[in-house]
């Protein structure tokens, strides 16, 4: 009779290797994709060579990010060829923003990619992989108006279980002229508050001590999932800020969510990122000031210090309005630490515009900064309407100048903490030395201190060694632009420490 065909692998029994590029949203998306695959019988491997499926969660925000993926695919080509000789098919998938942006090009240019799935298509991964089993390419880049993966609890894989990220919304409606995000991640939609609270409670029960609420635009959160939420009044934008959209009426807002989340566990720190400066009603600032477990640290992405450039970027505020917000924030939340994003060399940026950004960096003095040279993206308004006219070498020089000034100011801000004691959430051993521990203070600055026996403030002065997840009071002895170093005073709790201050 006929030779029987070799039995193929059963769908959903392979080993998956996941690799993440880009922002924290992508790290969270990797956990979501993995949760879906795990439910469908896949196993996960950390060894590239063991994998039956390799999935890259990709970023499109800058040219450089995409270049890294094309290079990685070239590297995987050889791996795939070897596997074909061994008759063990290897399937390769591109997930995330680059999948959304370049579906056709990825399928055609790199014939080795089997599946392409955009940020709203992760539920479809098992089907896409099953199609790929049969040797066909499979793609789904449909963007959704309501997908928030609210019912999928991500499988947390981050820092030793001390910190976690909880996604509260997806997409963005701001349409800043430089930004690809609205096109790769779709329209803004918020996850129902009930499901967010359920996830945070679960993390608290697991001993997680810090949760960061995550979204492309967290502070324009609005939960419209229940009828009674829909008649709530629209919030007032910060003074001097405008939006390209009409303020949307209805919904439970960010202040409400922040209030609820911060009540779950008084020993759990709450952070959030990334907000837009336009959405800081006073009730949010008041809440941050009042609650001891909401970190006194805000990300206020400025992007430029020049009103002319801000207008071209369609950011919805002037330099003056931004500075006024900064002063208002500092008045409302004493001791607040600020971080920001800046783009060097945006379309039409002059030397004078650049100088204004440098002076904004000096005036505000941020603790943390994310600074990049501008990279033109297709589909954006800048691509259609503006000229990418700042030469690459000038962009590079301006970026270096921004970084230098940012570091000088951050070092000054951190040096002001020398001699003070800071409450540090221990994350684990320091990368540089096993005899030191590393954690972060309330302002999200890394603090390094010796792993020594210390007193426990709660328990009759017994000596203890600090563990990940412990709060330790550390006296700062030296500072740089990136880190603080100090000596541990005692182990304590978040509530106790708040009561003393």
């Amino acid at each position: 009779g006929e030779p029987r065909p070799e039995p193929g692998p059963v769908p959903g029994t392979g080993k998956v290797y996941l690799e993440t590029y880009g922002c924290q949203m992508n790290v969270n998306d990797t956990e979501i994709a993995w949760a879906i695959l795990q439910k469908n019988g896949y196993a996960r491997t950390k060894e590239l060579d063991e994998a039956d499926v390799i999935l890259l969660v990709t970023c499109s925000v800058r040219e450089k990010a995409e270049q890294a993926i094309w290079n990685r695919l070239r590297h995987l080509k050889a791996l795939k060829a070897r596997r074909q000789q061994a008759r063990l098919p290897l399937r390769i998938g591109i997930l995330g923003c680059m999948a959304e942006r370049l579906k056709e090009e990825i399928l055609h240019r790199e014939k080795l990619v089997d599946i392409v799935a955009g940020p709203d298509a992760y539920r479809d991964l098992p089907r896409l992989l099953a199609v790929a089993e049969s040797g066909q390419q499979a793609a789904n880049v449909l963007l959704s108006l309501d997908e928030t993966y609210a019912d999928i609890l991500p499988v947390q894989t981050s820092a030793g279980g001390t910190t976690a990220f909880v996604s509260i919304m997806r997409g963005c409606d701001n349409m800043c002229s430089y930004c690809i995000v609205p096109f790769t991640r779709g329209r803004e939609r918020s996850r129902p508050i009930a499901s967010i609270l359920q996830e945070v409670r679960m993390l608290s029960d697991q001993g997680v001590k810090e949760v960061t609420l995550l979204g492309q635009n967290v502070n324009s959160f609005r939960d419209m999932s229940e009828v009674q939420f829909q008649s709530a009044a629209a919030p007032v934008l910060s003074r001097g800020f405008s939006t390209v959209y009409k303020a949307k009426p209805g919904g439970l807002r960010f202040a409400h969510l922040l209030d609820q989340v911060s009540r779950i566990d008084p020993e759990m720190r709450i952070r959030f990122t990334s907000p837009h400066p336009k959405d800081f009603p006073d009730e949010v600032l008041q809440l941050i000031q009042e609650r001891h477990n909401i970190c006194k640290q805000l990300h206020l992405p400025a992007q430029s210090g020049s009103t002319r450039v801000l207008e071209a970027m369609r950011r919805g505020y002037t330099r003056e309005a931004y500075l006024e917000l900064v002063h208002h924030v500092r008045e409302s939340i004493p001791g607040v630490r600020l971080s920001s994003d800046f783009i060097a060399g945006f379309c039409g940026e002059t030397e004078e515009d650049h100088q204004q950004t440098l002076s904004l960096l000096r005036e505000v003095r941020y603790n943390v900064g994310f600074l990049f040279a501008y990279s033109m993206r297709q589909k954006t308004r800048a691509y259609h309407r503006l000229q990418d006219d700042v030469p690459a070498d000038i962009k590079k020089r301006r970026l270096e100048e921004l970084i230098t000034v940012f570091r000088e100011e951050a070092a000054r801000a951190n040096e002001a903490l020398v001699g003070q004691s800071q409450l540090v959430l221990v994350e684990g051993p320091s990368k540089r030395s096993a005899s030191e521990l590393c954690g972060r203070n309330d302002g999200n600055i890394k603090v390094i201190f010796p792993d020594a026996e210390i007193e426990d403030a709660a328990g009759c002065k017994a000596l203890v060694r600090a563990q990940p997840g412990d709060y330790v009071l550390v006296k700062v002895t030296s500072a740089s632009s990136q880190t603080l170093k100090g000596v541990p005073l005692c182990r304590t709790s978040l509530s106790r420490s708040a009561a003393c201050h």
Side-chain angles (χ1 to χ4, degrees), residues 233-241 247 253 277-284:
V236 186
L237 288 177
S238 313
R239 303 158 199 67
F241 285 72
R253 299 291 172 156
K278 73 177 162 56
D279 292 306
F280 276 106
D282 287 351
E283 52 187 345
V284 169

Side-chain angles (χ1 to χ4, degrees), residues 342-480:
F342 286 93
I343 293 170
F346 184 63
C347 308
E349 183 185 73
T350 63
E351 201 54 40
E352 157 65 11
D353 294 324
H354 169 61
Q355 291 301 326
Q356 291 201 12
T357 301
L358 291 174
S359 87
L360 186 78
L361 282 168
R362 289 195 185 96
E363 192 166 335
V364 178
R365 185 170 291 177
Y366 300 97
N367 289 85
V368 177
F370 302 94
L371 299 92
F372 299 99
Y374 176 59
S375 159
M376 173 78 86
R377 314 312 288 133
Q378 277 167 330
K379 285 192 184 166
T380 59
R381 188 182 169 92
Y383 180 80
H384 295 299
R385 306 281 177 89
L386 304 173
Q387 294 289 302
D388 186 5
D389 53 5
V390 179
D393 56 333
I394 293 182
K395 276 184 192 168
K396 187 168 175 289
R397 172 185 62 77
R398 286 180 186 170
L399 176 63
E400 282 162 5
E401 288 176 12
L402 292 182
I403 291 170
T404 302
V405 170
F406 157 72
R407 284 205 175 128
E408 285 168 4
E409 296 301 330
R412 279 198 192 113
N414 289 346
E415 275 153 20
L417 296 172
V418 172
Q420 293 185 20
S421 52
Q422 296 282 306
L423 187 66
V424 177
L425 174 59
V426 181
E427 285 172 13
S430 152
K431 283 198 178 81
R432 297 252 168 102
S433 140
S435 64
E436 293 184 310
L437 291 171
C438 177
R440 286 174 188 278
N441 72 354
D442 181 274
N444 215 15
I445 305 160
K446 190 187 272 185
V447 183
I448 293 170
F449 61 94
D451 179 5
E453 288 202 320
I454 48 173
E455 281 190 356
D456 184 16
C460 56
K461 307 280 184 248
L463 289 183
V464 291
R465 296 294 274 273
Q467 302 298 318
D470 284 348
Y471 288 104
V472 174
L473 208 55
V474 175
K475 187 171 183 176
V476 181
T477 52
S478 70
S480 71

Side-chain angles (χ1 to χ4, degrees), residues 100-284:
E100 194 63 47
R101 194 178 94 74
L102 295 174
K103 172 187 155 184
E104 304 298 334
E105 197 178 332
I106 291 164
L107 292 172
H108 297 146
R109 185 169 138 188
E110 296 286 342
K111 281 284 186 267
L112 88 161
V113 173
D114 304 286
I115 78 162
V116 171
D120 289 345
Y122 300 142
R123 287 181 201 272
D124 200 22
L125 280 170
R127 183 189 69 85
L128 294 171
L129 284 165
V131 172
E133 286 282 353
S134 67
Q136 303 171 61
Q137 286 183 315
N140 181 348
V141 292
L142 289 171
L143 284 173
S144 157
L145 289 172
D146 54 13
E147 177 63 271
T148 59
Y149 300 109
D151 57 316
I152 293 171
L153 289 175
V155 183
Q156 292 285 343
T157 49
S158 50
T162 299
T163 63
F165 289 83
V166 172
S167 177
I168 66 167
M169 61 191 305
R170 298 178 73 82
C172 186
D173 285 352
N174 281 337
M175 301 298 281
C176 303
S177 63
Y178 52 82
C179 186
I180 189 76
V181 165
F183 303 96
T184 60
R185 300 190 80 92
R187 296 300 298 265
E188 208 168 87
R189 59 237 110 109
S190 299
R191 178 175 166 188
I193 284 187
S195 86
I196 297 168
L197 296 178
Q198 182 201 352
E199 188 179 338
V200 175
R201 276 189 208 104
M202 184 193 79
L203 292 168
S204 167
D205 292 344
Q206 288 170 11
V208 168
K209 283 292 197 295
E210 180 178 289
V211 158
T212 303
L213 305 178
L214 202 57
Q216 230 71 49
N217 203 26
V218 283
N219 49 349
S220 47
F221 177 90
R222 41 198 281 283
D223 175 4
M224 300 286 281
S225 64
E226 295 187 34
V227 176
Q228 71 267 29
F229 301 166
Q230 290 169 16
S231 56
V236 186
L237 288 177
S238 313
R239 303 158 199 67
F241 285 72
S242 63
T243 165
V244 281
Y245 295 95
K246 290 195 288 290
K248 304 185 187 84
L252 291 184
R253 299 291 172 156
F254 186 59
H256 181 93
L257 172 68
L258 203 53
D259 171 47
Q260 297 284 303
V261 168
S262 69
R263 288 169 190 266
I264 287 175
D265 179 351
E267 286 302 306
M268 180 191 261
R269 273 181 176 171
I270 310 298
R271 301 185 187 278
F272 55 90
T273 201
S274 169
H276 187 290
K278 73 177 162 56
D279 292 306
F280 276 106
D282 287 351
E283 52 187 345
V284 169

Side-chain angles (χ1 to χ4, degrees), residues 481-500:
S481 66
Q482 310 282 313
T483 39
L484 303 172
K485 287 195 158 175
V487 290
L489 301 174
C490 65
R491 182 170 78 177
T492 182
S493 71
L494 194 50
S495 318
R496 180 183 292 267
S497 165
C500 300

